[in-house]
Short mmCIF file of all heavy atoms in Angstrom, two decimals:
data_model
loop_
_atom_site.label_atom_id
_atom_site.label_comp_id
_atom_site.label_asym_id
_atom_site.label_seq_id
_atom_site.Cartn_x
_atom_site.Cartn_y
_atom_site.Cartn_z
N ILE A 64 73.65 20.94 35.28
CA ILE A 64 73.72 20.82 33.82
C ILE A 64 75.15 20.55 33.37
O ILE A 64 75.42 19.68 32.54
CB ILE A 64 73.19 22.11 33.15
CG1 ILE A 64 71.71 22.32 33.50
CG2 ILE A 64 73.39 22.04 31.65
CD1 ILE A 64 70.79 21.23 33.01
N VAL A 65 76.11 21.29 33.95
CA VAL A 65 77.52 21.09 33.60
C VAL A 65 77.96 19.66 33.98
O VAL A 65 78.66 18.98 33.23
CB VAL A 65 78.42 22.12 34.32
CG1 VAL A 65 79.89 21.81 34.10
CG2 VAL A 65 78.09 23.53 33.82
N ILE A 66 77.52 19.22 35.15
CA ILE A 66 77.86 17.87 35.62
C ILE A 66 77.29 16.81 34.68
O ILE A 66 77.99 15.84 34.32
CB ILE A 66 77.34 17.66 37.05
CG1 ILE A 66 78.17 18.48 38.04
CG2 ILE A 66 77.37 16.18 37.44
CD1 ILE A 66 77.58 18.58 39.42
N GLN A 67 76.04 16.98 34.26
CA GLN A 67 75.44 16.01 33.35
C GLN A 67 76.17 15.95 32.01
O GLN A 67 76.35 14.87 31.45
CB GLN A 67 73.95 16.35 33.12
CG GLN A 67 73.04 15.97 34.27
CD GLN A 67 73.03 14.47 34.52
OE1 GLN A 67 72.97 13.67 33.59
NE2 GLN A 67 73.09 14.09 35.79
N ASN A 68 76.59 17.10 31.52
CA ASN A 68 77.36 17.11 30.27
C ASN A 68 78.68 16.37 30.42
O ASN A 68 79.11 15.63 29.52
CB ASN A 68 77.61 18.55 29.83
CG ASN A 68 76.36 19.24 29.33
OD1 ASN A 68 75.44 18.59 28.85
ND2 ASN A 68 76.32 20.57 29.43
N LEU A 69 79.33 16.54 31.57
CA LEU A 69 80.60 15.84 31.83
C LEU A 69 80.39 14.33 31.97
O LEU A 69 81.18 13.53 31.48
CB LEU A 69 81.26 16.39 33.09
CG LEU A 69 81.81 17.82 32.98
CD1 LEU A 69 82.25 18.33 34.34
CD2 LEU A 69 82.97 17.87 32.00
N LEU A 70 79.30 13.97 32.63
CA LEU A 70 78.99 12.54 32.79
C LEU A 70 78.68 11.90 31.44
O LEU A 70 79.01 10.74 31.20
CB LEU A 70 77.82 12.35 33.76
CG LEU A 70 78.08 12.71 35.22
CD1 LEU A 70 76.82 12.54 36.05
CD2 LEU A 70 79.20 11.83 35.80
N GLY A 71 78.01 12.70 30.57
CA GLY A 71 77.74 12.19 29.22
C GLY A 71 79.02 11.92 28.45
O GLY A 71 79.06 11.06 27.57
N LYS A 72 80.10 12.64 28.81
CA LYS A 72 81.41 12.43 28.20
C LYS A 72 82.28 11.46 29.00
O LYS A 72 83.47 11.31 28.73
CB LYS A 72 82.14 13.78 28.08
CG LYS A 72 81.41 14.80 27.23
CD LYS A 72 82.12 16.16 27.28
CE LYS A 72 81.35 17.22 26.52
NZ LYS A 72 81.99 18.56 26.65
N LYS A 73 81.69 10.86 30.03
CA LYS A 73 82.38 9.88 30.91
C LYS A 73 83.48 10.52 31.75
O LYS A 73 84.40 9.83 32.19
CB LYS A 73 82.97 8.72 30.09
CG LYS A 73 81.98 8.07 29.12
CD LYS A 73 80.77 7.50 29.82
CE LYS A 73 79.82 6.84 28.83
NZ LYS A 73 78.58 6.36 29.49
N GLU A 74 83.39 11.83 32.02
CA GLU A 74 84.39 12.52 32.85
C GLU A 74 83.89 12.62 34.29
O GLU A 74 83.55 13.69 34.79
CB GLU A 74 84.68 13.90 32.28
CG GLU A 74 85.26 13.88 30.87
CD GLU A 74 85.55 15.27 30.33
OE1 GLU A 74 85.77 16.19 31.15
OE2 GLU A 74 85.54 15.44 29.10
N VAL A 75 83.82 11.48 34.97
CA VAL A 75 83.24 11.39 36.32
C VAL A 75 84.05 12.18 37.34
O VAL A 75 83.48 12.90 38.18
CB VAL A 75 83.12 9.91 36.76
CG1 VAL A 75 82.55 9.82 38.17
CG2 VAL A 75 82.26 9.12 35.78
N GLU A 76 85.37 12.06 37.30
CA GLU A 76 86.23 12.77 38.26
C GLU A 76 86.06 14.27 38.14
O GLU A 76 85.96 14.99 39.14
CB GLU A 76 87.69 12.38 38.01
CG GLU A 76 88.66 12.93 39.05
CD GLU A 76 88.58 12.20 40.38
OE1 GLU A 76 87.92 11.15 40.46
OE2 GLU A 76 89.17 12.70 41.35
N HIS A 77 86.02 14.76 36.92
CA HIS A 77 85.84 16.19 36.68
C HIS A 77 84.47 16.64 37.19
O HIS A 77 84.33 17.73 37.78
CB HIS A 77 85.98 16.47 35.18
CG HIS A 77 86.07 17.93 34.86
ND1 HIS A 77 86.24 18.39 33.57
CD2 HIS A 77 86.00 19.04 35.63
CE1 HIS A 77 86.29 19.71 33.57
NE2 HIS A 77 86.14 20.13 34.81
N ALA A 78 83.45 15.82 37.00
CA ALA A 78 82.10 16.14 37.46
C ALA A 78 82.06 16.30 38.97
O ALA A 78 81.41 17.21 39.50
CB ALA A 78 81.12 15.06 37.01
N ASN A 79 82.73 15.43 39.71
CA ASN A 79 82.76 15.52 41.17
C ASN A 79 83.51 16.77 41.65
O ASN A 79 83.16 17.36 42.67
CB ASN A 79 83.41 14.27 41.76
CG ASN A 79 82.51 13.05 41.66
OD1 ASN A 79 81.28 13.17 41.63
ND2 ASN A 79 83.09 11.87 41.60
N LYS A 80 84.52 17.18 40.91
CA LYS A 80 85.23 18.41 41.26
C LYS A 80 84.34 19.63 41.08
O LYS A 80 84.45 20.62 41.81
CB LYS A 80 86.51 18.53 40.41
CG LYS A 80 87.60 17.53 40.77
CD LYS A 80 88.81 17.69 39.87
CE LYS A 80 89.90 16.68 40.20
NZ LYS A 80 90.50 16.92 41.51
#
Side-chain angles (χ1 to χ4, degrees):
I64 297 298
V65 173
I66 288 168
Q67 283 298 316
N68 288 334
L69 290 171
L70 292 177
K72 300 174 184 176
K73 309 301 181 184
E74 298 180 26
V75 178
E76 187 74 10
H77 191 178
N79 287 333
K80 290 179 181 292

